[in-house]
Amino acid sequence: MPIHEKSLIRPENLRRNESLIIEGVDVSGDWSTFIDSRVITDYNETMQDEIAALPGGENIHRCWQCGSCTNSCTVNAINPDFNPRYWIYLIRMGYESELLRDKDIIWQCVSCNKCTYACPRDVVPEGVMKATAHWLELKGHTEPSNSTKFDDVFSNQVFATGKIEDGLVMRDYFKATNQSITQPWLIAMVKSLVSRMPVTLLMKLGISTVIRPRTRDWSRAREAIGEYVTERKVKDHATVGMPISHAKAAQGEPISTKGS
């Protein structure tokens, strides 16, 4: 299904004559607007299959371009350039160069899942957006986003200890994104907690930041998760045509044995 929305036409592809008369008829301005033909030089016929093979993208083939996802999108309400329907169209058509023009905003999906609830075809657009962002990273088109870094930090702690400690997650996330831990909002929040929370609970929170809480007998589960994550990385890289060995995938594992 071709795209005819004016907002999706690149400005450089529009041709408009401010003054044009044809056979005595004034067709100046909007009457003389033409759209240059789009020439695709890097058509990628495997792009849909690659994204469909990644977690979340399995049902992309069901999309019939009704627009329910974009219409209900939380981010689109703030940024009209965030358009899941259009990106799914580009993926299915194999227009890789067009998709790459929006590579810096695709990762902004907040996973509110409004699009998923609105979709009449069970495409799960939220999953497709995450799969697309993952595909862009795997192909080397984008650097890991802050949201990806948070996912890594959060997962790393759960995988390593079987539990989560919010203070450690925040600390490690700020470190991963080169942000200062002494941010005004964080200082204000800590002061509020100190002034209101019982002393015993504050002591427990303080101890947790030094001695990581962990699930008893977690080592076997950690090893199993590590093996699965490694296998998933190998499979995902092979899916996009950039295979890596198990050894290399394991080297890049964020899973740590600290606190075990």
Side-chain angles (χ1 to χ4, degrees), residues 29-55:
D30 291 337
W31 290 102
S32 65
T33 300
F34 293 89
I35 304 173
D36 285 345
S37 298
R38 178 172 53 184
V39 179
I40 302 299
T41 59
D42 62 343
Y43 176 73
N44 184 351
E45 62 182 9
T46 66
M47 184 161 61
Q48 176 180 326
D49 292 338
E50 290 177 356
I51 291 177
L54 297 174

PDB file of all heavy atoms in Angstrom, residues 29-55:
ATOM      1  N   GLY A  29       1.596  28.075  -7.390  1.00  0.00           N
ATOM      2  CA  GLY A  29       1.462  27.638  -6.003  1.00  0.00           C
ATOM      3  C   GLY A  29       1.161  26.164  -5.868  1.00  0.00           C
ATOM      4  O   GLY A  29       1.743  25.318  -6.556  1.00  0.00           O
ATOM      5  N   ASP A  30       0.202  25.833  -5.010  1.00  0.00           N
ATOM      6  CA  ASP A  30      -0.099  24.427  -4.727  1.00  0.00           C
ATOM      7  C   ASP A  30      -0.591  23.667  -5.953  1.00  0.00           C
ATOM      8  O   ASP A  30      -0.419  22.448  -6.052  1.00  0.00           O
ATOM      9  CB  ASP A  30      -1.145  24.329  -3.616  1.00  0.00           C
ATOM     10  CG  ASP A  30      -0.592  24.766  -2.264  1.00  0.00           C
ATOM     11  OD1 ASP A  30       0.640  24.715  -2.092  1.00  0.00           O
ATOM     12  OD2 ASP A  30      -1.386  25.162  -1.394  1.00  0.00           O
ATOM     13  N   TRP A  31      -1.201  24.372  -6.898  1.00  0.00           N
ATOM     14  CA  TRP A  31      -1.705  23.700  -8.091  1.00  0.00           C
ATOM     15  C   TRP A  31      -0.578  23.096  -8.926  1.00  0.00           C
ATOM     16  O   TRP A  31      -0.810  22.186  -9.722  1.00  0.00           O
ATOM     17  CB  TRP A  31      -2.510  24.678  -8.948  1.00  0.00           C
ATOM     18  CG  TRP A  31      -3.808  25.080  -8.327  1.00  0.00           C
ATOM     19  CD1 TRP A  31      -4.084  26.249  -7.678  1.00  0.00           C
ATOM     20  CD2 TRP A  31      -5.004  24.310  -8.268  1.00  0.00           C
ATOM     21  NE1 TRP A  31      -5.372  26.277  -7.217  1.00  0.00           N
ATOM     22  CE2 TRP A  31      -5.968  25.080  -7.563  1.00  0.00           C
ATOM     23  CE3 TRP A  31      -5.365  23.037  -8.726  1.00  0.00           C
ATOM     24  CZ2 TRP A  31      -7.259  24.623  -7.326  1.00  0.00           C
ATOM     25  CZ3 TRP A  31      -6.655  22.593  -8.489  1.00  0.00           C
ATOM     26  CH2 TRP A  31      -7.588  23.371  -7.802  1.00  0.00           C
ATOM     27  N   SER A  32       0.622  23.626  -8.760  1.00  0.00           N
ATOM     28  CA  SER A  32       1.744  23.139  -9.571  1.00  0.00           C
ATOM     29  C   SER A  32       2.690  22.252  -8.787  1.00  0.00           C
ATOM     30  O   SER A  32       3.821  22.021  -9.187  1.00  0.00           O
ATOM     31  CB  SER A  32       2.533  24.327 -10.146  1.00  0.00           C
ATOM     32  OG  SER A  32       3.136  25.079  -9.093  1.00  0.00           O
ATOM     33  N   THR A  33       2.243  21.745  -7.637  1.00  0.00           N
ATOM     34  CA  THR A  33       3.102  20.908  -6.800  1.00  0.00           C
ATOM     35  C   THR A  33       3.216  19.491  -7.372  1.00  0.00           C
ATOM     36  O   THR A  33       2.208  18.850  -7.672  1.00  0.00           O
ATOM     37  CB  THR A  33       2.559  20.831  -5.360  1.00  0.00           C
ATOM     38  OG1 THR A  33       2.516  22.149  -4.801  1.00  0.00           O
ATOM     39  CG2 THR A  33       3.463  19.951  -4.495  1.00  0.00           C
ATOM     40  N   PHE A  34       4.445  19.058  -7.513  1.00  0.00           N
ATOM     41  CA  PHE A  34       4.704  17.702  -8.001  1.00  0.00           C
ATOM     42  C   PHE A  34       5.652  16.998  -7.028  1.00  0.00           C
ATOM     43  O   PHE A  34       6.410  17.648  -6.293  1.00  0.00           O
ATOM     44  CB  PHE A  34       5.329  17.721  -9.399  1.00  0.00           C
ATOM     45  CG  PHE A  34       4.416  18.235 -10.468  1.00  0.00           C
ATOM     46  CD1 PHE A  34       4.369  19.594 -10.772  1.00  0.00           C
ATOM     47  CD2 PHE A  34       3.586  17.365 -11.166  1.00  0.00           C
ATOM     48  CE1 PHE A  34       3.512  20.069 -11.755  1.00  0.00           C
ATOM     49  CE2 PHE A  34       2.741  17.838 -12.149  1.00  0.00           C
ATOM     50  CZ  PHE A  34       2.696  19.196 -12.441  1.00  0.00           C
ATOM     51  N   ILE A  35       5.592  15.694  -7.033  1.00  0.00           N
ATOM     52  CA  ILE A  35       6.462  14.898  -6.166  1.00  0.00           C
ATOM     53  C   ILE A  35       7.456  14.148  -7.038  1.00  0.00           C
ATOM     54  O   ILE A  35       7.060  13.404  -7.938  1.00  0.00           O
ATOM     55  CB  ILE A  35       5.649  13.887  -5.327  1.00  0.00           C
ATOM     56  CG1 ILE A  35       4.579  14.608  -4.518  1.00  0.00           C
ATOM     57  CG2 ILE A  35       6.581  13.099  -4.402  1.00  0.00           C
ATOM     58  CD1 ILE A  35       3.634  13.662  -3.791  1.00  0.00           C
ATOM     59  N   ASP A  36       8.737  14.383  -6.783  1.00  0.00           N
ATOM     60  CA  ASP A  36       9.761  13.665  -7.538  1.00  0.00           C
ATOM     61  C   ASP A  36       9.693  12.168  -7.242  1.00  0.00           C
ATOM     62  O   ASP A  36       9.429  11.762  -6.109  1.00  0.00           O
ATOM     63  CB  ASP A  36      11.161  14.176  -7.169  1.00  0.00           C
ATOM     64  CG  ASP A  36      11.455  15.527  -7.795  1.00  0.00           C
ATOM     65  OD1 ASP A  36      10.715  15.908  -8.716  1.00  0.00           O
ATOM     66  OD2 ASP A  36      12.415  16.186  -7.358  1.00  0.00           O
ATOM     67  N   SER A  37       9.924  11.374  -8.246  1.00  0.00           N
ATOM     68  CA  SER A  37       9.942   9.927  -8.056  1.00  0.00           C
ATOM     69  C   SER A  37      11.076   9.537  -7.113  1.00  0.00           C
ATOM     70  O   SER A  37      12.163  10.115  -7.156  1.00  0.00           O
ATOM     71  CB  SER A  37      10.121   9.213  -9.404  1.00  0.00           C
ATOM     72  OG  SER A  37       9.044   9.489 -10.265  1.00  0.00           O
ATOM     73  N   ARG A  38      10.808   8.577  -6.260  1.00  0.00           N
ATOM     74  CA  ARG A  38      11.816   8.113  -5.316  1.00  0.00           C
ATOM     75  C   ARG A  38      12.542   6.914  -5.927  1.00  0.00           C
ATOM     76  O   ARG A  38      11.919   5.930  -6.323  1.00  0.00           O
ATOM     77  CB  ARG A  38      11.157   7.717  -3.999  1.00  0.00           C
ATOM     78  CG  ARG A  38      12.120   7.179  -2.960  1.00  0.00           C
ATOM     79  CD  ARG A  38      11.431   6.985  -1.630  1.00  0.00           C
ATOM     80  NE  ARG A  38      10.228   6.176  -1.758  1.00  0.00           N
ATOM     81  CZ  ARG A  38       9.404   5.925  -0.728  1.00  0.00           C
ATOM     82  NH1 ARG A  38       9.644   6.456   0.443  1.00  0.00           N
ATOM     83  NH2 ARG A  38       8.339   5.161  -0.897  1.00  0.00           N
ATOM     84  N   VAL A  39      13.845   7.012  -5.996  1.00  0.00           N
ATOM     85  CA  VAL A  39      14.645   5.943  -6.578  1.00  0.00           C
ATOM     86  C   VAL A  39      15.301   5.145  -5.451  1.00  0.00           C
ATOM     87  O   VAL A  39      16.045   5.699  -4.643  1.00  0.00           O
ATOM     88  CB  VAL A  39      15.730   6.491  -7.517  1.00  0.00           C
ATOM     89  CG1 VAL A  39      16.565   5.350  -8.088  1.00  0.00           C
ATOM     90  CG2 VAL A  39      15.090   7.306  -8.647  1.00  0.00           C
ATOM     91  N   ILE A  40      14.988   3.875  -5.370  1.00  0.00           N
ATOM     92  CA  ILE A  40      15.545   3.011  -4.330  1.00  0.00           C
ATOM     93  C   ILE A  40      16.773   2.297  -4.892  1.00  0.00           C
ATOM     94  O   ILE A  40      16.686   1.575  -5.879  1.00  0.00           O
ATOM     95  CB  ILE A  40      14.508   1.977  -3.866  1.00  0.00           C
ATOM     96  CG1 ILE A  40      13.239   2.673  -3.350  1.00  0.00           C
ATOM     97  CG2 ILE A  40      15.101   1.078  -2.788  1.00  0.00           C
ATOM     98  CD1 ILE A  40      13.466   3.568  -2.164  1.00  0.00           C
ATOM     99  N   THR A  41      17.900   2.543  -4.274  1.00  0.00           N
ATOM    100  CA  THR A  41      19.147   1.937  -4.756  1.00  0.00           C
ATOM    101  C   THR A  41      19.649   0.835  -3.829  1.00  0.00           C
ATOM    102  O   THR A  41      20.580   0.116  -4.171  1.00  0.00           O
ATOM    103  CB  THR A  41      20.243   3.010  -4.891  1.00  0.00           C
ATOM    104  OG1 THR A  41      20.456   3.632  -3.613  1.00  0.00           O
ATOM    105  CG2 THR A  41      19.830   4.075  -5.905  1.00  0.00           C
ATOM    106  N   ASP A  42      19.073   0.721  -2.636  1.00  0.00           N
ATOM    107  CA  ASP A  42      19.563  -0.288  -1.683  1.00  0.00           C
ATOM    108  C   ASP A  42      18.394  -1.120  -1.150  1.00  0.00           C
ATOM    109  O   ASP A  42      18.296  -1.368   0.043  1.00  0.00           O
ATOM    110  CB  ASP A  42      20.318   0.384  -0.538  1.00  0.00           C
ATOM    111  CG  ASP A  42      19.429   1.336   0.262  1.00  0.00           C
ATOM    112  OD1 ASP A  42      18.357   1.712  -0.254  1.00  0.00           O
ATOM    113  OD2 ASP A  42      19.809   1.699   1.391  1.00  0.00           O
ATOM    114  N   TYR A  43      17.520  -1.527  -2.043  1.00  0.00           N
ATOM    115  CA  TYR A  43      16.374  -2.345  -1.646  1.00  0.00           C
ATOM    116  C   TYR A  43      16.847  -3.594  -0.911  1.00  0.00           C
ATOM    117  O   TYR A  43      17.696  -4.334  -1.394  1.00  0.00           O
ATOM    118  CB  TYR A  43      15.571  -2.738  -2.879  1.00  0.00           C
ATOM    119  CG  TYR A  43      14.413  -3.662  -2.592  1.00  0.00           C
ATOM    120  CD1 TYR A  43      13.266  -3.196  -1.956  1.00  0.00           C
ATOM    121  CD2 TYR A  43      14.475  -4.998  -2.956  1.00  0.00           C
ATOM    122  CE1 TYR A  43      12.215  -4.041  -1.696  1.00  0.00           C
ATOM    123  CE2 TYR A  43      13.419  -5.859  -2.700  1.00  0.00           C
ATOM    124  CZ  TYR A  43      12.279  -5.373  -2.069  1.00  0.00           C
ATOM    125  OH  TYR A  43      11.238  -6.218  -1.802  1.00  0.00           O
ATOM    126  N   ASN A  44      16.303  -3.812   0.273  1.00  0.00           N
ATOM    127  CA  ASN A  44      16.708  -4.943   1.115  1.00  0.00           C
ATOM    128  C   ASN A  44      15.535  -5.903   1.265  1.00  0.00           C
ATOM    129  O   ASN A  44      14.665  -5.709   2.109  1.00  0.00           O
ATOM    130  CB  ASN A  44      17.166  -4.439   2.478  1.00  0.00           C
ATOM    131  CG  ASN A  44      17.686  -5.562   3.366  1.00  0.00           C
ATOM    132  OD1 ASN A  44      17.570  -6.738   3.040  1.00  0.00           O
ATOM    133  ND2 ASN A  44      18.258  -5.209   4.505  1.00  0.00           N
ATOM    134  N   GLU A  45      15.508  -6.914   0.455  1.00  0.00           N
ATOM    135  CA  GLU A  45      14.381  -7.839   0.446  1.00  0.00           C
ATOM    136  C   GLU A  45      14.367  -8.776   1.646  1.00  0.00           C
ATOM    137  O   GLU A  45      13.384  -9.487   1.869  1.00  0.00           O
ATOM    138  CB  GLU A  45      14.381  -8.656  -0.837  1.00  0.00           C
ATOM    139  CG  GLU A  45      15.615  -9.521  -1.021  1.00  0.00           C
ATOM    140  CD  GLU A  45      15.605 -10.292  -2.328  1.00  0.00           C
ATOM    141  OE1 GLU A  45      14.737 -10.025  -3.158  1.00  0.00           O
ATOM    142  OE2 GLU A  45      16.483 -11.158  -2.493  1.00  0.00           O
ATOM    143  N   THR A  46      15.441  -8.787   2.433  1.00  0.00           N
ATOM    144  CA  THR A  46      15.479  -9.672   3.605  1.00  0.00           C
ATOM    145  C   THR A  46      15.187  -8.922   4.906  1.00  0.00           C
ATOM    146  O   THR A  46      15.148  -9.543   5.966  1.00  0.00           O
ATOM    147  CB  THR A  46      16.862 -10.348   3.722  1.00  0.00           C
ATOM    148  OG1 THR A  46      17.865  -9.350   3.993  1.00  0.00           O
ATOM    149  CG2 THR A  46      17.212 -11.099   2.450  1.00  0.00           C
ATOM    150  N   MET A  47      14.989  -7.610   4.836  1.00  0.00           N
ATOM    151  CA  MET A  47      14.842  -6.822   6.058  1.00  0.00           C
ATOM    152  C   MET A  47      13.653  -7.280   6.898  1.00  0.00           C
ATOM    153  O   MET A  47      13.757  -7.423   8.123  1.00  0.00           O
ATOM    154  CB  MET A  47      14.716  -5.335   5.719  1.00  0.00           C
ATOM    155  CG  MET A  47      14.659  -4.431   6.947  1.00  0.00           C
ATOM    156  SD  MET A  47      15.062  -2.708   6.591  1.00  0.00           S
ATOM    157  CE  MET A  47      13.770  -2.281   5.421  1.00  0.00           C
ATOM    158  N   GLN A  48      12.509  -7.519   6.264  1.00  0.00           N
ATOM    159  CA  GLN A  48      11.342  -7.962   7.018  1.00  0.00           C
ATOM    160  C   GLN A  48      11.606  -9.308   7.684  1.00  0.00           C
ATOM    161  O   GLN A  48      11.276  -9.497   8.865  1.00  0.00           O
ATOM    162  CB  GLN A  48      10.110  -8.069   6.120  1.00  0.00           C
ATOM    163  CG  GLN A  48       8.899  -8.617   6.866  1.00  0.00           C
ATOM    164  CD  GLN A  48       7.661  -8.726   5.994  1.00  0.00           C
ATOM    165  OE1 GLN A  48       7.442  -7.926   5.114  1.00  0.00           O
ATOM    166  NE2 GLN A  48       6.837  -9.739   6.237  1.00  0.00           N
ATOM    167  N   ASP A  49      12.209 -10.229   6.971  1.00  0.00           N
ATOM    168  CA  ASP A  49      12.482 -11.551   7.539  1.00  0.00           C
ATOM    169  C   ASP A  49      13.466 -11.460   8.702  1.00  0.00           C
ATOM    170  O   ASP A  49      13.327 -12.185   9.698  1.00  0.00           O
ATOM    171  CB  ASP A  49      13.047 -12.481   6.460  1.00  0.00           C
ATOM    172  CG  ASP A  49      12.015 -12.832   5.401  1.00  0.00           C
ATOM    173  OD1 ASP A  49      10.809 -12.730   5.694  1.00  0.00           O
ATOM    174  OD2 ASP A  49      12.418 -13.195   4.282  1.00  0.00           O
ATOM    175  N   GLU A  50      14.450 -10.572   8.584  1.00  0.00           N
ATOM    176  CA  GLU A  50      15.434 -10.421   9.653  1.00  0.00           C
ATOM    177  C   GLU A  50      14.790  -9.873  10.916  1.00  0.00           C
ATOM    178  O   GLU A  50      15.029 -10.373  12.026  1.00  0.00           O
ATOM    179  CB  GLU A  50      16.558  -9.491   9.195  1.00  0.00           C
ATOM    180  CG  GLU A  50      17.460 -10.103   8.118  1.00  0.00           C
ATOM    181  CD  GLU A  50      18.516  -9.134   7.623  1.00  0.00           C
ATOM    182  OE1 GLU A  50      18.498  -7.964   8.067  1.00  0.00           O
ATOM    183  OE2 GLU A  50      19.365  -9.536   6.804  1.00  0.00           O
ATOM    184  N   ILE A  51      13.960  -8.844  10.770  1.00  0.00           N
ATOM    185  CA  ILE A  51      13.306  -8.247  11.932  1.00  0.00           C
ATOM    186  C   ILE A  51      12.251  -9.199  12.499  1.00  0.00           C
ATOM    187  O   ILE A  51      12.071  -9.284  13.723  1.00  0.00           O
ATOM    188  CB  ILE A  51      12.691  -6.885  11.553  1.00  0.00           C
ATOM    189  CG1 ILE A  51      13.825  -5.887  11.284  1.00  0.00           C
ATOM    190  CG2 ILE A  51      11.768  -6.363  12.645  1.00  0.00           C
ATOM    191  CD1 ILE A  51      13.379  -4.524  10.820  1.00  0.00           C
ATOM    192  N   ALA A  52      11.580  -9.956  11.627  1.00  0.00           N
ATOM    193  CA  ALA A  52      10.585 -10.929  12.083  1.00  0.00           C
ATOM    194  C   ALA A  52      11.227 -12.051  12.891  1.00  0.00           C
ATOM    195  O   ALA A  52      10.567 -12.681  13.723  1.00  0.00           O
ATOM    196  CB  ALA A  52       9.828 -11.508  10.890  1.00  0.00           C
ATOM    197  N   ALA A  53      12.508 -12.306  12.663  1.00  0.00           N
ATOM    198  CA  ALA A  53      13.205 -13.382  13.365  1.00  0.00           C
ATOM    199  C   ALA A  53      13.711 -12.944  14.738  1.00  0.00           C
ATOM    200  O   ALA A  53      14.159 -13.772  15.531  1.00  0.00           O
ATOM    201  CB  ALA A  53      14.379 -13.882  12.528  1.00  0.00           C
ATOM    202  N   LEU A  54      13.631 -11.637  15.024  1.00  0.00           N
ATOM    203  CA  LEU A  54      14.069 -11.117  16.319  1.00  0.00           C
ATOM    204  C   LEU A  54      12.891 -11.082  17.289  1.00  0.00           C
ATOM    205  O   LEU A  54      11.741 -10.938  16.866  1.00  0.00           O
ATOM    206  CB  LEU A  54      14.657  -9.713  16.159  1.00  0.00           C
ATOM    207  CG  LEU A  54      15.919  -9.610  15.292  1.00  0.00           C
ATOM    208  CD1 LEU A  54      16.313  -8.149  15.103  1.00  0.00           C
ATOM    209  CD2 LEU A  54      17.071 -10.396  15.911  1.00  0.00           C
ATOM    210  N   PRO A  55      13.154 -11.229  18.587  1.00  0.00           N
ATOM    211  CA  PRO A  55      12.061 -11.203  19.575  1.00  0.00           C
ATOM    212  C   PRO A  55      11.218  -9.941  19.461  1.00  0.00           C
ATOM    213  O   PRO A  55      11.734  -8.832  19.495  1.00  0.00           O
ATOM    214  CB  PRO A  55      12.824 -11.249  20.910  1.00  0.00           C
ATOM    215  CG  PRO A  55      14.103 -11.933  20.603  1.00  0.00           C
ATOM    216  CD  PRO A  55      14.472 -11.465  19.218  1.00  0.00           C
TER     217      PRO A  55
END
